[in-house]
Amino acid sequence: MTEPKPFDTLADAAERYGRASLDNYAQVRNVAESVQAGFCRYLSGGEKVCVYLVPPEGAWSPQPYQSGAFSVSGTGFLPLDPISFGLAVRVSRTGDWLRLVLSCAKMGPEMEITIQNGGQFALTLPASPEQLQQLFDVLFGHLTAWFVQQADLYENGEYGGRSIGFDFLHSPNGDSVPVV
């Protein structure tokens, strides 16, 4: 029996890495799509589309981006790293949206979700409806607390900082807007 050549050992390691990175992406995307659809139902009872998956940074508008909503989009070689995505969340009756950025890292049987400028939440995979409901409560609380804190600061004369933690966008008709 011949020993494997160094290239074969390297190729085997790279193939294992590739399988793991694809699994990581699939797991994160599954969680992201569940969060997008479920959080919209949580907020509006399913009456109107109010949450979209959007890129975690750069230009965005409230519309579905599919695979373009993930930080690994367009990277070529799929890295085995935590993956971020944005949630465009409708926050007003007049068409205001904000982008909430989440980062996901698979830690054994759990998906650790970090809210940018916020806390962390762990889901045991596959995520149960009860766990997702708890996550929606956390996301809702995070968003609501930010608005309440900012209004409280204003009323106390302590406002004016620019570290809002969210990207805002206004859509005059309240629905999705074309990409600019």
Side-chain angles (χ1 to χ4, degrees):
M1 192 167 205
T2 63
E3 281 194 41
K5 293 180 175 54
F7 176 79
D8 293 328
T9 302
L10 176 60
D12 289 345
E15 288 172 9
R16 180 176 174 226
Y17 178 98
R19 286 189 302 273
S21 64
L22 283 173
D23 180 66
N24 183 53
Y25 175 73
Q27 296 275 357
V28 170
R29 184 158 182 170
N30 185 7
V31 166
E33 290 173 348
S34 295
V35 169
Q36 178 272 319
F39 194 43
C40 189
R41 281 191 303 275
Y42 174 94
L43 291 172
S44 73
E47 293 176 15
K48 202 170 205 182
V49 177
C50 57
V51 179
Y52 289 102
L53 288 174
V54 299
E57 50 188 40
W60 64 279
S61 62
Q63 65 178 18
Y65 281 80
Q66 286 85 25
S67 62
F70 298 90
S71 59
V72 296
S73 177
T75 60
F77 190 79
L78 189 59
L80 186 52
D81 289 324
I83 297 174
S84 298
F85 60 91
L87 290 177
V89 181
R90 186 175 176 169
V91 295
S92 76
R93 292 175 192 87
T94 59
D96 296 300
W97 295 77
L98 64 74
R99 173 170 53 189
L100 178 63
V101 177
L102 305 179
S103 182
C104 295
K106 188 172 177 297
M107 305 292 214
E110 293 184 338
M111 183 67 68
E112 187 174 281
I113 301 170
T114 302
I115 303 167
Q116 186 178 40
N117 299 318
Q120 292 183 331
F121 189 87
L123 292 173
T124 302
L125 298 173
S128 70
E130 294 79 20
Q131 283 186 306
L132 288 170
Q133 181 68 34
Q134 290 172 355
L135 175 59
F136 302 151
D137 291 341
V138 168
L139 295 174
F140 173 75
H142 176 75
L143 293 170
T144 304
W146 185 84
F147 285 109
V148 169
Q149 287 173 342
Q150 296 307 305
D152 287 350
L153 287 172
Y154 169 75
E155 289 170 359
N156 292 309
E158 301 173 19
Y159 72 104
R162 298 293 298 167
S163 61
I164 64 171
F166 302 115
D167 293 327
F168 283 97
L169 187 97
H170 179 73
S171 172
N173 65 0
D175 295 323
S176 60
V177 296
V179 176
V180 195

